[in-house]
Amino acid sequence: MKLTAKQRMFADEYIKSGNATDAYIKAGYKVKTNSSAKAASSRLLTNVNLKNYIDAKMAEIESHKIADAKEVLQFYTRVLREEETEEVTLPAGADVITVEKKPSFKDRLTAAKELMKRYPLSDPMIQAELRKLNAEADIAEQKAKVLKNDKTGITKIVFSDDMKPDNEYAKDQKGDENDGTDT
């Protein structure tokens, strides 16, 4: 991304204000009228390198607005250790006073639970569940290997001819009633 000093300044000013004409003027470009600055700034915004620079800077700005996992864990830890406070307003007669309040026991307990959710291996139930899931995954992999190693691609069906017609079944039932002797 090769940009001149003026282009970089224009992009930075454009990011701050969102106004291309003002950014063009503040970047130090010589202009006779606002309409010529507007036209020139519009042309400048079509520059691919400048557009990429602006997009990258905007993404960077947005990523700083969003808390990452480490920041969240640090906050929960500060609450758990009573290092975070909140301002609470209390009525004091005709006046209202503001005091710093440490987290309640309930708040600290909630923070502890939230922290433990992020460290699941310390819970024996979750460890057991994880072992079960790993075992099921191993079984599924073994079944897949067996099916994959079957090179024929033919499904085998085994038929058994141990069923008798209904009338033979009835004869066997009579024979059983007669202590195993057929008449």
Side-chain angles (χ1 to χ4, degrees), residues 81-119:
R81 294 179 179 163
E82 294 185 319
E83 295 168 358
E84 280 291 320
T85 59
E86 69 176 303
E87 288 188 4
V88 179
T89 56
L90 299 172
D95 294 330
V96 175
I97 60 170
T98 303
V99 294
E100 292 287 319
K101 176 185 169 261
K102 288 187 174 186
S104 67
F105 182 78
K106 183 179 177 182
D107 294 336
R108 293 176 60 214
L109 186 61
T110 301
K113 286 179 182 179
E114 289 298 321
L115 280 168
M116 291 310 296
K117 284 180 187 177
R118 281 126 179 108
Y119 297 102

Side-chain angles (χ1 to χ4, degrees), residues 4-126:
T4 66
K6 281 186 177 181
Q7 287 174 330
R8 191 177 305 271
M9 190 178 286
F10 166 78
D12 291 338
E13 289 295 327
Y14 179 70
I15 290 169
K16 288 179 194 172
S17 68
N19 186 324
T21 305
D22 288 345
Y24 191 81
I25 294 167
K26 286 180 181 177
Y29 288 102
K30 294 179 183 172
V31 294
K32 293 181 181 178
T33 63
N34 267 358
S35 61
S36 65
K38 183 177 182 178
S41 64
S42 293
R43 277 193 308 277
L44 193 55
L45 285 173
T46 62
N47 180 321
V48 175
N49 289 334
L50 186 79
K51 182 96 171 95
N52 289 340
Y53 176 81
I54 291 171
D55 290 343
K57 284 289 189 184
M58 292 298 285
E60 184 181 319
I61 290 168
E62 285 301 313
S63 71
H64 289 301
K65 290 181 180 178
I66 299 171
D68 61 355
K70 183 178 178 182
E71 187 179 351
V72 171
L73 291 175
Q74 288 171 345
F75 171 75
Y76 281 136
T77 302
R78 287 192 313 271
V79 170
L80 181 64
R81 294 179 179 163
E82 294 185 319
E83 295 168 358
E84 280 291 320
T85 59
E86 69 176 303
E87 288 188 4
V88 179
T89 56
L90 299 172
D95 294 330
V96 175
I97 60 170
T98 303
V99 294
E100 292 287 319
K101 176 185 169 261
K102 288 187 174 186
S104 67
F105 182 78
K106 183 179 177 182
D107 294 336
R108 293 176 60 214
L109 186 61
T110 301
K113 286 179 182 179
E114 289 298 321
L115 280 168
M116 291 310 296
K117 284 180 187 177
R118 281 126 179 108
Y119 297 102
L121 296 180
S122 62
D123 185 359
M125 288 301 292
I126 293 179

Side-chain angles (χ1 to χ4, degrees), residues 166-181:
D166 284 345
N167 57 358
E168 286 183 32
Y169 178 74
K171 286 181 188 176
D172 281 347
Q173 291 297 326
K174 268 189 179 180
D176 289 343
E177 290 173 8
N178 297 329
D179 297 321
T181 57

Side-chain angles (χ1 to χ4, degrees), residues 92-161:
D95 294 330
V96 175
I97 60 170
T98 303
V99 294
E100 292 287 319
K101 176 185 169 261
K102 288 187 174 186
S104 67
F105 182 78
K106 183 179 177 182
D107 294 336
R108 293 176 60 214
L109 186 61
T110 301
K113 286 179 182 179
E114 289 298 321
L115 280 168
M116 291 310 296
K117 284 180 187 177
R118 281 126 179 108
Y119 297 102
L121 296 180
S122 62
D123 185 359
M125 288 301 292
I126 293 179
Q127 286 178 338
E129 196 172 312
L130 189 58
R131 282 195 304 275
K132 179 184 174 190
L133 290 172
N134 283 333
E136 289 173 354
D138 290 342
I139 291 169
E141 284 179 13
Q142 292 302 320
K143 285 181 180 179
K145 282 182 185 176
V146 168
L147 291 174
K148 189 175 185 180
N149 290 337
D150 183 17
K151 304 287 186 200
T152 62
I154 299 172
T155 304
K156 297 175 185 172
I157 300 174
V158 178
F159 289 100
S160 167
D161 192 22

